[in-house]
Structure formats: structure tokens, C-alpha cells
Amino acid sequence: MCLAVPGKVLEIKERDGTRMATVDFGGMAKEVCCEYLPDLQPGEYAIVHVGFALQRLDEESARQTLALFEELGLLEEEFGDPWELAAQEAAK
Amino acid sequence: MKYIDEFQDPELARKLVEDIHATVTRPWALMEVCGGQTHSIIRHGIDQLLPDEVELIHGPGCPVCVTPLEVIDKALEIASRPEVIFCSYGDMLRVPGTGRDLFQVRGEGGDVRVVYSPLDALRIAQQNPGREVVFFGIGFETTAPPNAMTVHQARKLGIRNFSMLVSHVRVPPAIEAIMQSESCRVQGFLAAGHVCSVMGTGEYPALAERFRVPIVVTGFEPLDVLEGVRRTVRQLERGEHTVENAYARVVPPEGNPAAKAMLADIFEVTDRAWRGIGVIPDSGWRLAARHREFDAEHRFSVADIDTREPEACRAGEVLQGLLKPHECEAFGTACTPRTPLGATMVSSEGACAAYYLYRRLETSGTGAKQPAQATAPAAVNAPRTPDGTSTAPASAPLEGSPVV
């Protein structure tokens, strides 16, 4: 939960009066609130935590971090089915 | 330096490790504040690459772990109500309250849902106007701004069936409490990078000066941690105690001004109990009085729930850096991820969980009191299966300590 994952902004639109972005995390797209980075633009990278873009990040750092997260299984932990993970944990 | 080959940039890792070895002349104890850093350290065996003189002490930086038992019990009470849809992050599901957890509440018929973002919970409230939707708002300064924005949105959109059970915690008062403790051994801090991405570095110079302790803002990737250690040790050897930013690619000195403004609008500072530690003055946020209508504690009258923590769990000592997880009598026996006594064993960022996942081969069979440093990181760097376990075979030979 405390993990903040870098992603690439694909598109920005408004929902309920709020700036929302579609962000790509290594092939997984999520809707992300970008009210805290009001001038964030498509093509830029940002650190995203619980569905909120919190800081910009350069492309190379973002790519490296994403590759590492994927290798370590952290993307699965962040975006996978939490009930499945909890059930597996309970059955260990 | 066998294990350095596993690093993303082995050559840079090697240089950082060599520089730390060349710099250090006497023992130093550093605390990494963030649970993500703890997992990075244990998973990659970073502590075992460091000189014997440099000890890393795990700090209280796991939001799930420090959430007090009474707050978990309040969550369980609210989640059990038939009119409630209780929304939480996945890693709170198996955190033990008194006698049960959210996973069990769902098994008993409670409508517990996992969300990725607090805004998902708000959307569920919009879609279910006849139900009460409650979001479990825990976490540090990184998690609080999204929750603040969600309350702001709920008010803006006039959503009345939404509320939040808030138990936010703040890092700087925890650092203060640790330094004031009589048993404190910490001489330098690796500050949590993502907390600082929101808050900036402005809260730290006064702490560094008052306690004469270096504070280095650090990320949680392996190279980030090594660089944080390198800078902290360099300061200590020189007798310096300043604030440095070793994570500048994500942390501007001012943090995120828009997020800080929203925090100030929605929350107010309050004393907060930390699980296993007790109350730390000014260490938390609660909803400001003008936003009380969104406060689940008041909406569901659970403010009076007050629970004592089990004595067998020594998570409080682990969270303060006074005890390493495997030094606890219950570690790996009475307390496992399947039967956790405390949140440090069940949270994905908990120190006990890190030791159980990556060090259990070392601690079992050689006695739970065996220091982890005595043997090699058998399962470190092994690829993980989807259930989070290491794929290292149980019979994997333990090799000698990594040579640096």
C-alpha cells in the first residue's frame, strides 16, 4: 500500500470536476487523479500512490523502477487480486 | 561480492559498497524509517554487504503495522454492520484485531471491499446511495493527501453516505520520540523518500540540529538505500549532522505544495497512539472539526472502543528498533503470516514479515536467537512465486557470508 509506482501519462480528462489521467504502469492502465500535479501532461512520467500522482519523474528513472518492480513481483502485489493474495497468505 | 551481481547496476553498487567500507572507522547505528526500505534491505541482503561497523535498525515506517489495535477493532465493528460497505486497501485484510480480521468479517457476511484508491470508495458510495460506505483511511504523509482529496470531493459532490475511519500518522514526531527514548541507539536516519515527496525536507533541519543527528532523505531501491547509507556514514565520520537529499529525482525541497495545502484544509494535527509504542504527541492527523460529518468514528459511535494489545507480541520493540524480529520468542512459532500476533508479521511492509519471507531458512534450525548476520541471505534475490513465497528450494545450501 505504501508503494508508489512510476507510470506514464497516456491521456488526461475531467471527471466530476477533477483532473484524472489514464496512466500506464508497465502495460497495466489505471485511472489516476492528478489534482496534485495540475500541469501534468500526456507523455510525462509521475510517481503514483493509491491512485494519485504525487511527483514527476524522469523517463529513465521511471523505466528502471518499473522493470525492477516487475522482476520482484511488486506490480502483482500492488495491482493483483487482493482477496486471492490474502487467501493464499491465510493458507500458508 | 557475489550478491552484488544481482543488483540492477552491479558496478555502481560495488562502488557504493566499497566507498562505505573505505569511509567507516567505528560503529554506527542507522535507522531506516520506511518499511519499503526495510524490505529492500532484507530482500537484497544490503545489511550483509555493509561493514560490520554499520548496523541498520528497522524503524516504524509501515503504516499497517503502526495502526493501533483499537482502530482495527473499530474497523471490524463498523465493517460488521449490515448497512455498511467497508472499503480498505488489501494489506489491511489480515491485520489482526481482537480475535479476528477483516478477511474473517467478510467470511461472516460483512460487505468488505478492497479498493486501489480512496476515490474508488467514493465512487462505490455514488453507486450505492442506499448503503453507508466507509473507507479505512490509514497511512503516513504519502497516503494522507489522497484521502484528504477524497473528503474534499465528497463534500463538493454532496455525497452523504460516505465517511472515513481516519488513523493517519506523521513521521517527524516519531523520529523525535525515538531520539528521546532512553534506550535509543540511533545515530543517523535514512528518511522515507515518498513521505518527503509530499512534505519536502523542511521539517527535518530542526530535528537534525536538536538531536545532532544526520538525516538523509532516501529512496527504497537497493542503490538508493546504499547511497543513503553512504551519505549518512560520511556525515557521522566527519562529525556532521545536516539534512541531505539523496532522492532528489522524486523529492523537491518544498515537497508537493498542492497536497500540503489540501492536508491543512481537511485534517488537523492530533496526538496519536502507535501500535506497540503508545501515544506520541502531535504524531497524527484527524479530520478537522468542520469535516466531522465525514468522520466514521462519530457516525457509527465507535469512538469509545479501547483495546489492550496482547502482551506476547513485541512488535512495539521491533518498531522502535529495540529488537530484531527473529529475536522475539514467538517469531516463526506462535507468530507466522498465517497466525500473526501483530501487524508487523502480516503487513507486506512489516519488518517481521520481511524476516519471515527472506530469512526464515537462517533463523529456523539455528535457533531463533541466532543473529541474521551470521549466515548468508539464502533466499535473498530468489524470484518469487505469485503467492509471494521465495522459489529458493528449502534445501538450498547456505553459503558463507558474502565477502566484500
Side-chain angles (χ1 to χ4, degrees):
Chain A
M1 179 200 100
C2 206
L3 195 63
V5 184
K8 182 181 186 179
V9 179
L10 300 177
E11 184 193 5
I12 294 191
K13 59 193 173 197
E14 211 178 278
R15 191 183 85 199
D16 292 337
T18 303
R19 277 187 103 229
M20 301 294 287
T22 308
V23 175
D24 174 57
F25 301 98
M28 199 152 358
K30 283 266 178 194
E31 201 174 32
V32 163
C33 178
C34 51
E35 284 284 309
Y36 289 140
L37 291 179
D39 50 355
L40 190 66
Q41 296 299 327
E44 288 190 292
Y45 286 79
I47 289 272
V48 176
H49 179 61
V50 296
F52 281 71
L54 292 179
Q55 283 295 350
R56 278 187 173 76
L57 186 68
D58 66 276
E59 178 171 351
E60 193 191 333
S61 302
R63 283 182 190 279
Q64 285 182 3
T65 303
L66 268 177
L68 180 74
F69 281 7
E70 188 161 13
E71 181 193 326
L72 297 177
L74 288 175
L75 289 181
E76 169 71 21
E77 210 167 89
E78 183 76 358
F79 300 119
D81 180 351
W83 292 108
E84 187 67 24
L85 289 172
Q88 283 168 356
E89 195 70 28
K92 260 183 208 169
Chain B
M1 277 196 253
K2 177 175 191 290
Y3 296 98
I4 278 191
D5 296 339
E6 309 278 349
F7 278 71
Q8 193 182 338
D9 185 340
E11 204 40 51
L12 184 52
R14 196 180 309 272
K15 281 185 184 151
L16 290 171
V17 170
E18 282 171 358
D19 192 73
I20 295 166
H21 276 260
T23 305
V24 74
T25 63
R26 55 204 148 124
W28 301 111
L30 320 182
M31 174 175 275
E32 87 276 3
V33 172
C34 160
Q37 291 167 341
T38 301
H39 271 249
S40 193
I41 288 162
I42 303 301
R43 183 178 243 157
H44 295 89
I46 289 171
D47 51 342
Q48 309 193 15
L49 293 170
L50 296 175
D52 290 342
E53 290 89 345
V54 179
E55 182 189 2
L56 292 178
I57 299 176
H58 315 312
C62 162
V64 177
C65 302
V66 301
T67 302
L69 188 61
E70 63 182 49
V71 174
I72 307 292
D73 280 349
K74 286 173 187 176
L76 296 171
E77 162 72 20
I78 294 170
S80 301
R81 301 195 183 199
E83 75 274 24
V84 166
I85 299 173
F86 194 84
C87 299
S88 168
Y89 297 126
D91 43 12
M92 294 304 288
L93 297 177
R94 298 215 56 250
V95 176
T98 304
R100 57 188 182 148
D101 56 31
L102 283 170
F103 192 67
Q104 287 165 302
V105 167
R106 189 208 196 202
E108 292 158 9
D111 194 346
V112 180
R113 301 189 193 180
V114 172
V115 291
Y116 162 67
S117 160
L119 287 179
D120 295 342
L122 194 61
R123 184 166 259 198
I124 290 172
Q126 285 174 298
Q127 292 162 347
N128 295 272
R131 307 280 301 278
E132 280 290 330
V133 175
V134 181
F135 177 73
F136 199 175
I138 68 144
F140 284 92
E141 290 95 327
T142 330
T143 317
N147 294 349
M149 177 65 76
T150 305
V151 171
H152 172 79
Q153 285 283 99
R155 180 177 291 288
K156 193 171 85 176
L157 299 171
I159 299 173
R160 305 230 172 266
N161 61 326
F162 176 82
S163 59
M164 204 177 277
L165 179 61
V166 175
S167 184
H168 282 304
V169 275
R170 301 171 59 231
V171 167
I175 288 182
E176 191 176 340
I178 286 164
M179 290 309 292
Q180 283 175 328
S181 160
E182 281 181 13
S183 44
C184 173
R185 298 189 297 118
V186 179
Q187 294 162 293
F189 283 97
L190 309 181
H194 287 152
V195 162
C196 297
S197 75
V198 170
M199 301 307 288
T201 54
E203 293 175 291
Y204 292 126
L207 285 171
E209 185 57 40
R210 180 174 159 203
F211 296 107
R212 306 184 66 77
V213 66
I215 300 177
V216 176
V217 177
T218 304
F220 57 88
E221 291 183 43
L223 289 176
D224 289 326
V225 175
L226 282 176
E227 173 64 3
V229 170
R230 191 179 75 88
R231 293 202 196 192
T232 312
V233 167
R234 191 176 54 188
Q235 280 203 45
L236 286 166
E237 290 283 343
R238 290 176 180 170
E240 297 170 355
H241 50 272
T242 62
V243 177
E244 280 188 72
N245 185 356
Y247 198 37
R249 69 182 188 275
V250 173
V251 176
E254 71 280 10
N256 184 319
K260 287 201 282 191
M262 186 63 80
L263 285 173
D265 179 45
I266 302 294
F267 295 126
E268 61 191 18
V269 170
T270 184
D271 297 347
R272 178 72 72 195
W274 295 50
R275 188 157 176 145
I277 297 176
V279 174
I280 301 177
D282 293 338
S283 69
W285 275 307
R286 64 180 173 204
L287 282 164
R290 62 186 173 281
H291 301 300
R292 183 162 286 191
E293 63 190 281
F294 296 105
D295 190 339
E297 281 199 47
H298 291 277
R299 194 175 292 204
F300 297 95
S301 306
V302 294
D304 293 338
I305 290 180
D306 184 12
T307 323
R308 288 192 58 179
E309 294 171 29
E311 287 178 9
C313 180
R314 301 177 71 186
E317 291 161 80
V318 172
L319 291 168
Q320 293 172 83
L322 304 177
L323 187 78
K324 291 272 165 69
H326 61 279
E327 293 167 348
C328 171
E329 298 286 347
F331 178 82
T333 53
C335 184
T336 69
R338 188 178 178 183
T339 56
L341 286 178
T344 45
M345 180 57 90
V346 75
S347 164
S348 60
E349 285 143 38
C352 297
Y355 274 69
Y356 191 87
L357 255 177
Y358 304 117
R359 293 269 166 89
R360 68 178 138 172
L361 288 177
E362 302 160 44
T363 50
S364 66
T366 53
K369 297 271 182 195
Q370 186 80 12
Q373 284 77 6
T375 49
V380 172
N381 294 322
R384 298 189 325 146
T385 58
D387 69 352
T389 56
S390 165
T391 54
S395 59
L398 298 178
E399 297 181 27
S401 297
V403 182
V404 179

